[in-house]
């Protein structure tokens, strides 16, 4: 019996009769069977283990559709306050026009991984999450959302989608670590980079609609204490048009020094200089992710080099406003530029009237040795080693410790070890046209430059 024939029945019991595509089959432990009895050659195989029934045609036809290149204008156009129901409906329909295609593209990419990878229980869990999320959106396929009841239900589906994929990263990291012996690291890096960058956009689209929904006018059937939208709010959905990087740095600094206290028993300190009062338009959760990862690295280096008394110095520099002036968010988008193949934003790299911010994080943690430096942008690369807890471990064995900390009951966070901080941080920064550059002064310390392109402020 070939692998394909094991799965062929599943392919054909795709309940076409069920337009909702949400029927769940009782899952056998076939995926663990396959993991224990892997195919001798890690051949490509089009049907990874799945517990969600979805018509193959649906996935194929959606995956064949081109990805819409998300623009910032797309994200803000439905969300100018005051937000009326019509705008909410058009946001919902716009979201609906994007997400199934994006999910189908990811499903297709997962299916194209070598069989030995997709049969790993962690990777197949991610695959099933995508199938599940797509199945929850398909009932809306030929629908236009035009009443509040549908919009509320749709927003619930989006909230479920965001939650389902919230813990993807440790799961993917574990999956790829478990099968790293069998796959080419370049292929893994390419897949992860593409997958995680696409995930940033997908979450942004879903979270944007959820945020607009939350900030919208009180709903008909919501008799509880209404939240009247605050006309002075600087938010448009998930975008804060007056984000203060200094306040994000301070809250992330407190969080990371707490982790240090738990791990090492010391709390590194930090100083913010430059232009701490700067504000710009950005997605706060993206900035939080990046700053947390960069501070973890800086604090860890500071502590491990024994220079805990040396504060990490964070300099905020605001770019001068372009002489062309104008903070019109629509102008920074280059409508003629196709964006990238993941449907990520089309933003001109240099010709941009929205002011950006550069943040330099300077530590005295000894810098990065020349043999380590070429690897720092690879997913899963780490020099973290929980030697205190597990003497005799070799460098690079920290991945599992970090994963154990992440999956621990407290949902804790570890100071390092996953090896995703820099590459994923850079993916976030690049998403809106920024970047991260690391400058190591080996024997002394590191400077990390985080450049972020402001998203511009909308005209009211
Ligand atoms: P992790 O922190 O989980 O190891 P990262 O991607 O954040 O993964 O960093 C990869 C590696 O880069 C780290 O293990 C460390 O060796 C090196 N590194 C990153 N930032 C610094 C820094 N500020 N000082 C010294 N080494 C650093
Ligand atoms: Mg790190």
């Amino acid at each position: 019996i070939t692998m394909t024939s094991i799965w062929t029945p599943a392919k054909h019991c795709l309940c076409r009769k069920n337009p909702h595509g949400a029927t769940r089959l009782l899952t056998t432990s076939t995926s663990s069977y396959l993991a224990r009895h892997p195919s001798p050659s890690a051949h490509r195989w089009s049907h990874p283990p799945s517990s969600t029934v979805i018509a193959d045609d649906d996935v194929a036809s959606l995956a064949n559709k081109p990805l819409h290149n998300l623009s910032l204008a797309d994200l803000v156009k439905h969300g100018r306050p005051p937000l009326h129901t019509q705008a909410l409906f058009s946001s919902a329909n716009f979201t609906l026009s994007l997400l199934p295609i994006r999910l189908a593209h990811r499903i297709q990419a997962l299916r194209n991984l070598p069989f030995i990878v997709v049969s790993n229980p962690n990777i197949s869990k991610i695959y099933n999450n995508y199938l599940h999320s797509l199945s929850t959106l398909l009932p809306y396929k030929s629908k236009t959302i035009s009443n509040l009841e549908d919009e509320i239900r749709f927003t619930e589906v989006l909230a479920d989608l965001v939650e389902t994929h919230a813990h993807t990263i440790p799961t993917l990291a574990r999956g790829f670590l478990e099968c790293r012996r069998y796959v080419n690291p370049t292929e893994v890096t390419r897949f992860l980079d593409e997958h995680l960058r696409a995930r940033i956009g997908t979450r942004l689209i879903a979270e944007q609609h959820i945020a607009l929904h939350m900030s919208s006018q009180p709903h008909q059937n919501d008799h509880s204490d209404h939240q009247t939208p605050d006309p002075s709010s600087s938010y448009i959905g998930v975008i804060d048009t007056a984000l203060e990087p200094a306040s994000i740095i301070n809250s992330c600094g407190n969080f990371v020094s707490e982790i240090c206290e738990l791990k090492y028993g010391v709390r590194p300190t930090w100083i913010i200089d430059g232009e701490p009062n700067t504000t710009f338009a950005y997605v706060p959760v993206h900035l939080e992710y990046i700053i947390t990862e960069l501070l973890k690295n800086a604090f860890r280096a500071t502590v491990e080099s024994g220079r805990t008394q040396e504060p990490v110095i964070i300099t905020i520099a605001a770019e001068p406003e372009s002489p062309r002036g104008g903070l019109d968010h629509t102008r920074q988008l280059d409508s003629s530029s196709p964006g990238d193949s993941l449907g990520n934003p089309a933003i001109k790299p240099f010709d941009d009237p929205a002011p950006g911010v550069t943040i330099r994080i300077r530590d005295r943690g000894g810098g990065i040795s020349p043999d380590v430096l070429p690897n720092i942008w690879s997913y899963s690369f780490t020099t973290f080693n929980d030697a205190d807890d597990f003497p005799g471990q070799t460098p690079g064995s920290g991945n599992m410790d970090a994963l154990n900390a992440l999956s621990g009951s407290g949902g804790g966070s570890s100071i390092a070890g996953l090896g995703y901080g820099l590459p994923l941080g850079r993916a976030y920064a690049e998403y809106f046209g920024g970047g991260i550059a690391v400058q190591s002064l080996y024997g002394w310390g590191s400077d990390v430059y985080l450049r972020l392109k402001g998203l511009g402020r909308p005209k009211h």
Side-chain angles (χ1 to χ4, degrees):
I1 183 162
T2 66
M3 294 308 163
T4 320
S5 64
I6 291 175
W7 288 102
T8 311
K11 183 182 169 190
H12 291 298
C13 73
L14 307 165
C15 303
R16 296 264 162 76
K17 284 163 254 143
N18 174 5
H20 301 280
T23 316
R24 292 202 149 227
L25 285 178
L26 276 177
T27 42
T28 58
S29 57
T30 332
S31 68
S32 52
Y33 169 84
L34 291 174
R36 277 179 278 118
H37 302 87
S39 145
S41 62
H43 64 272
R44 309 234 158 223
W45 179 63
S46 61
H47 293 282
S50 140
S51 60
T52 302
V53 177
I54 216 171
D56 251 17
D57 290 356
D58 280 332
V59 176
S61 71
L62 286 165
N64 280 335
K65 290 188 183 170
L67 287 165
H68 169 88
N69 289 309
L70 188 65
S71 77
L72 190 61
D74 288 333
L75 287 179
V76 301
K77 76 179 165 201
H78 308 286
R80 307 282 181 73
L83 192 63
H84 295 298
T85 340
Q86 278 315 320
L88 200 59
F89 296 159
S90 65
S91 165
N93 289 313
F94 175 67
T95 306
L96 194 51
S97 73
L98 301 181
L99 289 186
I101 298 174
R102 295 184 72 99
L103 296 177
H105 275 257
R106 292 294 91 220
I107 290 170
Q108 202 79 301
L110 281 155
R111 284 180 175 177
N112 285 336
L113 285 169
F115 170 67
I116 196 142
V117 178
V118 283
S119 59
N120 174 282
N122 295 292
I123 310 288
S124 74
K125 185 175 177 199
I126 300 299
Y127 174 77
N128 280 318
N129 284 347
Y130 274 88
L131 280 188
H132 167 72
S133 295
L134 182 57
S135 77
T136 62
L137 288 172
L138 286 181
Y140 294 88
K141 200 169 70 171
S142 47
K143 231 181 180 173
T144 301
I145 292 167
S146 55
N147 64 64
L148 270 177
E149 211 173 297
D150 280 349
E151 192 277 329
I152 290 168
R153 215 168 301 133
F154 175 66
T155 306
E156 283 166 6
V157 168
L158 292 181
D160 174 73
L161 185 147
V162 167
E163 175 55 31
T164 301
H165 298 265
H167 310 291
T168 291
I169 289 172
T171 310
L172 268 182
R174 194 183 284 272
F176 279 105
L177 275 177
E178 285 172 358
C179 41
R180 79 160 137 195
R181 262 181 300 155
Y182 313 109
V183 280
N184 169 350
T186 329
E187 196 174 350
V188 173
T189 303
R190 200 183 317 119
F191 173 83
L192 277 175
D193 214 42
E194 183 178 305
H195 188 81
L196 296 174
R197 282 168 198 255
R199 177 177 178 268
I200 293 172
T202 303
R203 290 180 76 76
L204 196 62
I205 294 164
E207 287 177 334
Q208 182 68 356
H209 181 75
I210 296 169
L212 292 181
H213 173 96
M214 304 295 275
S215 66
S216 67
Q217 304 288 330
H219 299 298
Q220 280 170 352
N221 52 355
D222 178 4
H223 301 297
S224 56
D225 48 333
H226 293 144
Q227 256 204 331
T228 316
D230 172 8
S232 67
S233 166
S234 59
Y235 279 83
I236 297 180
V238 294
I239 298 163
D240 184 353
T241 60
L243 181 64
E244 212 179 281
S247 73
I248 299 259
I249 292 165
N250 284 327
S251 65
C252 296
N254 285 323
F255 172 69
V256 178
S257 71
E258 187 93 355
I259 301 175
C260 282
E261 169 99 70
L262 291 168
K263 166 85 187 104
Y264 302 107
V266 282
R267 273 178 176 267
T269 56
W270 68 97
I271 292 170
I272 299 180
D273 65 12
E275 295 169 78
N277 299 324
T278 297
T279 65
F280 75 132
Y282 210 71
V283 181
V285 290
H286 288 190
L287 186 58
E288 265 164 32
Y289 177 83
I290 303 167
I291 295 286
T292 301
E293 291 305 321
L294 298 181
L295 289 181
K296 281 180 180 179
N297 290 349
F299 285 9
R300 173 191 160 208
T302 302
V303 176
E304 290 190 352
S305 68
R307 295 195 198 87
T308 317
Q309 73 290 354
E310 298 277 352
V312 169
I313 299 171
I314 300 153
T315 308
I316 300 173
E319 263 169 38
E321 280 185 25
S322 151
R324 290 202 282 123
L327 294 174
D328 181 352
H329 67 281
T330 56
R331 288 189 50 205
Q332 69 176 307
L333 295 162
D334 176 10
S335 51
S336 63
S337 149
D340 72 10
S341 60
L342 298 174
N344 289 335
I347 295 178
K348 273 190 184 171
F350 301 111
D351 189 11
D352 176 3
V357 167
T358 305
I359 299 169
R360 183 185 61 197
I361 300 180
R362 168 168 287 181
D363 68 63
R364 274 227 44 205
I368 305 172
S369 76
D371 57 314
V372 164
L373 204 55
N375 303 311
I376 60 173
W377 299 105
S378 304
Y379 289 97
S380 285
F381 173 83
T382 185
T383 54
F384 187 67
N385 180 4
D386 239 344
D388 299 348
D389 304 346
F390 305 99
Q393 280 192 338
T394 48
S397 59
N399 293 120
M400 284 302 171
D401 300 325
L403 283 167
N404 291 337
L406 280 166
S407 50
S409 52
S413 185
S414 58
I415 189 74
L418 212 52
Y420 278 48
L422 286 178
L424 189 53
R426 183 165 71 177
Y428 272 103
E430 287 179 356
Y431 196 81
F432 285 117
I436 298 181
V438 172
Q439 197 62 57
S440 156
L441 189 56
Y442 187 42
W444 188 267
S446 306
D447 279 356
V448 179
Y449 291 84
L450 167 63
R451 155 119 216 270
L452 298 169
K453 269 170 112 53
L455 302 183
R457 291 180 185 82
K459 278 182 177 160
H460 285 293

